[in-house]
Amino acid sequence: MIRAAVAGDIAALLEIENRSFSGDRISARSFRHLLARGHAATLLDDHDGQLRGYVTLLFRKNLSLARIYSIATHPDHLGHGVAAGLLLAAEQTALMHNCVSMRLEIRKDNQASLRLFQSRGYRIFGDYPAYYDDGMDGFRLEKSLTHHLRTALARAPYYQQTLGFTCGPACLMMAMKAFDPALRLDRTLELQLWREATTIFMTSGHGGCSPYGLALAAQQRDFPCEIFVNGNGVLFQESVRSPEKRQVIQLVHDDFVRQVNQLRIPVHRKLAGTRDLVRCFHDGGIPLVLISTYRLTRERAPHWVIMTGCDDRFFYIHDPDNSPQRSGDERINMAILKKDFERMARYGRDATKAMVILYPPQAKR
């Protein structure tokens, strides 16, 4: 039986800890603190009164990520599936805390634990040099906890951007191909769409794709669309300091707006929230949403993703990001809690929100 640990279990937890580890041990004081914390959970494998192992999870406020702080099996019960059972229970507990992924660290010389976690879908995504008391390095591992929810929700094929600045075109390509399976997705189309949609300058590098530019590129290919933006601000203009660059962005923006108005593409100057996204799905649309990458990569940068589905708790997205730090699988139909996505779907000091919803060619908006 897996149950929650209580203060009366501390002596048994210490025995498991001291019998399992020669260093980096959790003290009685630390166990007492962990059991009293609201953002931690310790689970025990209790087999007819014998405590065979434990796992401790940590949760962070406003972050849909759980961390396995420690997991151990009493040496007398190794080889009986204790760790595997605790790991499954830990993942279920994390999901109940609205976490969509799990992380942990493992000693590089602990091959048994590494094999267990990798066999359960965890992948290595980094390391910590000299992480442990004795100087041993540690692996960083992560697993998505919502992969089993995805299959029925995926609506669009996945296309990974081939350049660091073409997330907008990659999203537009995925959305268009969802409605036109015969469409060929390649780098030529990716760059063509980027040239059509870019604001020319963004920060010190290549231009960012405007929602107006993406909508115009979609409309030119007979895909009806609508735009949601909060206010009349010029996207990405605040990212550059050069007056000349700011003027260029303003000119491109004004021209995009003029063309959008001429083509009568609907523009909603308001915050697009959960209700708007759900309505769009009911109407058969696919949203392209501008987000800040901070909650995904801890770096603040504008980035386009597309919505591929939703349910009562999650929005699902395809993230075209091509950085080597993340695997391709975890970018496909990523589950994001609705409340977290609302925080992600804004960029810059002005909390700019932008969304383009694409519809099938026959749809009338």
Side-chain angles (χ1 to χ4, degrees):
M1 176 182 71
I2 306 293
R3 64 171 177 84
V6 296
D9 296 314
I10 289 179
L13 287 166
L14 285 173
E15 182 183 358
I16 296 171
E17 188 76 1
N18 293 330
R19 292 284 302 276
S20 300
F21 305 114
S22 59
D24 294 282
R25 292 169 175 163
I26 301 176
S27 67
R29 180 180 179 181
S30 294
F31 270 124
R32 194 172 295 111
H33 178 63
L34 288 166
L35 293 178
R37 292 171 69 183
H39 54 287
T42 297
L43 306 176
L44 280 170
D45 182 314
D46 187 340
H47 185 69
D48 295 331
Q50 288 186 317
L51 303 185
R52 305 191 301 176
Y54 81 90
V55 60
T56 295
L57 299 175
L58 300 181
F59 310 103
R60 290 181 61 184
K61 186 178 180 181
N62 296 326
L63 190 64
S64 303
L65 172 71
R67 178 185 169 213
I68 295 179
Y69 181 61
S70 183
I71 183 170
T73 300
H74 193 290
D76 293 345
H77 301 286
L78 291 171
H80 293 87
V82 175
L86 286 167
L87 181 56
L88 178 61
E91 293 174 355
Q92 293 169 342
T93 300
L95 280 170
M96 289 192 309
H97 280 76
N98 291 326
C99 293
V100 299
S101 59
M102 184 89 82
R103 287 184 179 176
L104 73 150
E105 295 78 40
I106 293 180
R107 292 174 60 97
K108 286 190 175 181
D109 60 355
N110 191 345
Q111 292 300 307
S113 289
L114 186 60
R115 285 193 297 271
L116 168 67
F117 281 95
Q118 289 184 315
S119 71
R120 297 303 191 276
Y122 288 79
R123 66 170 191 86
I124 297 171
F125 73 98
D127 58 48
Y128 287 116
Y131 183 68
Y132 294 93
D133 284 349
D134 60 0
M136 175 55 63
D137 298 341
F139 283 124
R140 304 181 70 191
L141 282 78
E142 183 175 30
K143 177 184 177 179
S144 167
L145 301 179
T146 55
H147 186 77
H148 63 287
L149 302 175
R150 301 173 175 179
T151 305
L153 293 167
R155 299 182 51 197
Y158 182 72
Y159 180 85
Q160 187 175 72
Q161 64 192 85
T162 66
L163 297 163
F165 51 87
T166 53
C167 54
C171 288
L172 183 55
M173 291 163 68
M174 289 187 274
M176 291 192 300
K177 191 169 178 67
F179 298 131
D180 181 8
L183 180 68
R184 180 179 177 181
L185 305 185
D186 56 24
R187 202 178 207 187
T188 299
L189 178 59
E190 182 182 353
L191 289 171
Q192 182 180 38
L193 292 171
W194 176 78
R195 291 197 305 271
E196 295 177 28
T198 183
T199 55
I200 300 180
F201 288 114
M202 185 184 70
T203 63
S204 60
H206 298 283
C209 285
S210 157
Y212 298 96
L214 289 169
L216 288 168
Q219 190 80 22
Q220 182 177 334
R221 290 159 178 82
D222 297 323
F223 290 96
C225 55
E226 56 184 328
I227 301 169
F228 284 83
V229 290
N230 59 327
N232 298 308
V234 182
L235 208 61
F236 309 133
Q237 194 176 44
E238 68 175 36
S239 302
V240 298
R241 296 181 180 179
S242 163
E244 183 181 19
K245 290 182 178 181
R246 292 173 68 89
Q247 183 182 35
V248 170
I249 291 176
Q250 182 72 57
L251 289 171
V252 174
H253 170 81
D254 291 344
D255 185 52
F256 279 160
V257 171
R258 178 188 60 79
Q259 293 181 62
V260 163
N261 291 335
Q262 188 175 15
L263 292 173
R264 297 184 179 179
I265 298 174
V267 178
H268 309 282
R269 300 194 181 280
K270 68 171 187 174
L271 297 176
T274 297
R275 186 174 299 176
D276 297 300
L277 290 167
V278 172
R279 173 189 64 79
C280 128
F281 283 118
H282 289 164
D283 290 349
I286 296 179
L288 286 62
V289 185
L290 183 72
I291 68 168
S292 168
T293 59
Y294 183 73
R295 289 178 178 270
L296 298 177
T297 65
R298 313 313 287 176
E299 296 178 357
R300 301 184 189 277
H303 186 60
W304 287 96
V305 298
I306 74 163
M307 302 287 303
T308 59
C310 67
D311 57 26
D312 290 340
R313 298 171 64 197
F314 300 105
F315 287 126
Y316 298 84
I317 66 170
H318 281 351
D319 178 359
D321 177 38
N322 66 343
S323 62
Q325 287 78 20
R326 297 161 61 206
S327 70
D329 286 346
E330 72 173 295
R331 300 184 183 102
I332 300 173
N333 290 321
M334 293 173 58
I336 310 290
L337 282 169
K338 287 182 175 179
K339 64 180 180 65
D340 289 341
F341 191 77
E342 292 238 6
R343 297 188 188 105
M344 290 169 59
R346 62 189 68 183
Y347 175 72
R349 292 189 298 270
D350 297 331
T352 299
K353 286 193 171 187
M355 181 170 73
V356 178
I357 302 178
L358 211 68
Y359 293 94
Q362 296 79 19
K364 303 295 184 183
R365 301 305 310 153

